[in-house]
Amino acid sequence: MSSECRNRFATLAVHAGAVADPVTGARVTPLYLSNGFAFETPEAAADIFALRKSGFSYARGGNPTGAVLEKRIATLEGGTNAVAIASGQSALLVILLTLLKSGDEYVSANRLFGGSLGLMRRLEERHDLKVTFANPLDLAEFETAVTPRTRAIVIESIINPSGEVVDLEAISAIAKAHNIPLVVDNTLATPYLIRPIEHGADIVFHSLSKFIGGHGQVIGGIIVDAGKFNWAGDVRYPLISEPWEDYGGVVLAEKFPQTAFGVASRVYGMRDLGPGLSPFNAFLALTGTETLHLRMPRHVANAQAVAQHLANHPAITAVSYPGLEAHPNHPLVKRYTPEGPGAVFTATLKGGEEAAKRLISSLKIVSHLANIGETRSLIIHPATTTHKNMPPEDRLAAGVGPDVVRLSIGLEDPADLIADFDQALKA
Ligand SMILES: *Cc1c(COP(=O)(O)O)cnc(C)c1O
């Protein structure tokens, strides 16, 4: 990527969507802790309620602090609009419920964040949203999983926890051949490393709780609408293509052709279902976004250094990080994320589960935590925690057997991290 483009990203990360407050002059986007917003006239109130005019009414549907975050992330991702939401998990939930109704089918990568897999299984059991899982790194398998009944495809751009990069353009071609939207979880990449819309994604979502928030403080999520899918007249997606009778018969695909999916996920997801992002968490996520372009290169460089060191360590049999040149996924790294595949990966211990647990207990700088994507380096044993509820054979397929630890490499000095691993692996 040219330095001009990179400059642009940095400038947008600091500024997009925000101006000095026109009333007070406050330069930082204020934390608007108000759940109601005064209407100018009764007519204006009616117009806002009926979606004839945009504006804030009641903060369940959106608030001014979150709106700046929405504009900023939509800009960084190259989307037309975004919806800030309570968590990454609720972002996926609202996307699925906006696209599908009971009885509908979709295809998902079988290698995803454990919480996404659990949500999908429960939505199928309890609400009949039928999911077919396929390996996103095996394009032939993925292609046969998609049928004329498939309504959407869901993948991660960089897979949690292995760090492997998915061939977004090949999967987008499958989605386009079936005229269905491609949904990409871009949490591990962030828009700094990969912008899935440039590779054919129709809907992108994030857990803001990870690298975007970046400091281990917030739980949050965001949905970004590329504005490219043609929903108009498509009866497979009635929430977007058919009239909303209680909103004066508005058809979102016609009234909002560039932002129809975002509007549908706001009106159904926020107003009806209600999992909004609090202004306070939006404020913290916005602060995190302003240094994303500085933090990500350091995360990646540290991850590369630690992965390289562990790959050569006699106590380690495998390191999943595809930033390593010998890794079979390395060509996709070069193509989609030349700066590196993020900072989350797994390592397999020669001494099995016992050695994995001993390593976790012996580390002094690296913390034993369930989250990923923050300033501190983190480690966990997925088989007994994040991926515990999977059948053992699925766990092996997801690359998280009993001898595996998941790492999220932070912003410390890499020499100190390497020394910490060395002393802990000796133990
Ligand atoms: C953490 C995570 C989620 C869920 O996000 P929460 O904010 O924890 O609800 C979804 N996808 C990926 C890839 C994640 O790492």
Side-chain angles (χ1 to χ4, degrees):
M1 177 169 297
S2 75
S3 62
E4 191 200 359
C5 253
R6 199 42 103 202
N7 281 340
R8 238 181 241 143
F9 185 97
T11 308
L12 295 170
V14 175
H15 289 288
V19 292
D21 187 275
V23 176
T24 63
R27 191 63 191 85
V28 173
T29 296
L31 173 51
Y32 289 101
L33 280 173
S34 180
N35 72 11
F37 301 90
F39 301 112
E40 281 181 8
T41 62
E43 292 71 30
D47 284 345
I48 288 172
F49 265 76
L51 304 179
R52 286 190 294 271
K53 257 192 181 164
S54 64
F56 299 105
S57 55
Y58 181 56
R60 186 179 347 99
N63 67 78
T65 310
V68 174
L69 176 69
E70 287 164 351
K71 282 196 195 121
R72 189 157 309 167
I73 302 292
T75 304
L76 293 177
E77 285 287 7
T80 56
N81 70 118
V83 179
I85 194 162
S87 63
Q89 201 74 1
S90 56
L92 176 59
L93 173 69
V94 164
I95 289 167
L96 292 175
L97 295 184
T98 302
L99 292 174
L100 310 166
K101 55 191 182 322
S102 297
D104 283 348
E105 300 179 18
Y106 66 106
V107 169
S108 169
N110 61 357
R111 301 184 52 187
L112 292 181
F113 169 64
S116 302
L117 293 171
L119 171 63
M120 288 172 167
R121 281 200 211 91
R122 234 88 60 205
L123 285 176
E124 172 153 12
E125 286 163 19
R126 300 177 53 82
H127 301 285
D128 200 27
L129 304 186
K130 299 179 202 298
V131 58
T132 303
F133 288 112
N135 182 354
L137 299 175
D138 180 340
L139 293 173
E141 180 189 319
F142 211 86
E143 184 148 28
T144 35
V146 180
T147 73
R149 293 185 308 282
T150 306
R151 296 288 176 264
I153 292 177
V154 181
I155 56 171
E156 289 175 0
S157 52
I158 295 182
I159 297 171
N160 183 350
S162 71
E164 286 160 296
V165 176
V166 170
D167 189 343
L168 296 168
E169 284 173 18
I171 296 202
S172 158
I174 298 171
K176 286 196 167 52
H178 290 265
N179 193 27
I180 51 176
L182 172 61
V183 179
V184 178
D185 180 341
N186 202 32
T187 300
L188 263 61
T190 83
Y192 178 81
L193 292 175
I194 301 179
R195 282 176 299 285
I197 292 170
E198 291 174 0
H199 305 294
D202 298 292
I203 298 161
V204 173
F205 73 98
H206 288 276
S207 167
L208 299 170
S209 325
K210 314 296 169 57
F211 294 99
I212 291 183
H215 297 74
Q217 299 162 323
V218 302
I219 295 289
I222 197 159
I223 300 168
V224 181
D225 177 5
K228 290 184 174 159
F229 196 84
N230 181 14
W231 311 96
D234 194 329
V235 296
R236 298 173 301 172
Y237 308 100
L239 211 50
I240 314 173
S241 66
E242 288 180 8
W244 285 54
E245 297 309 342
D246 55 341
Y247 280 76
V250 65
V251 174
L252 301 183
E254 289 167 9
K255 173 113 177 121
F256 306 100
Q258 306 305 317
T259 58
F261 182 79
V263 176
S265 44
R266 183 180 307 284
V267 181
Y268 180 53
M270 301 290 105
R271 284 193 187 177
D272 285 349
L273 300 174
L277 181 69
S278 89
F280 187 65
N281 281 343
F283 180 88
L284 291 173
L286 203 46
T287 303
T289 307
E290 294 179 2
T291 55
L292 186 63
H293 56 292
L294 298 176
R295 291 184 289 107
M296 289 311 287
R298 181 64 181 259
H299 273 295
V300 169
N302 282 1
Q304 182 79 25
V306 171
Q308 198 100 49
H309 185 77
L310 293 180
N312 295 323
H313 197 286
I316 303 284
T317 53
V319 171
S320 73
Y321 195 64
L324 301 174
E325 255 172 58
H327 195 287
N329 187 243
H330 191 66
L332 287 180
V333 172
K334 278 189 157 147
R335 182 162 155 212
Y336 287 104
T337 174
E339 289 196 46
V344 175
F345 60 91
T346 62
T348 309
L349 282 107
K350 191 178 268 170
E353 179 163 348
E354 269 316 297
K357 291 186 169 161
R358 211 158 43 236
L359 167 64
I360 292 171
S361 313
S362 308
L363 286 162
K364 296 195 165 91
I365 297 172
V366 181
S367 308
H368 183 197
L369 293 190
N371 60 311
I372 55 165
E374 60 147 290
T375 53
R376 284 153 283 262
S377 290
L378 315 173
I379 188 167
I380 198 163
H381 184 243
T384 53
T385 58
T386 53
H387 290 69
K388 175 173 161 289
N389 299 333
M390 291 168 86
E393 61 276 14
D394 290 6
R395 229 183 275 141
L396 281 181
V400 284
D403 48 357
V404 169
V405 291
R406 181 187 72 190
L407 303 170
S408 172
I409 302 302
L411 302 177
E412 302 93 339
D413 190 302
D416 291 336
L417 293 174
I418 286 170
D420 196 27
F421 279 104
D422 279 349
Q423 67 78 21
L425 286 167
K426 231 184 255 158

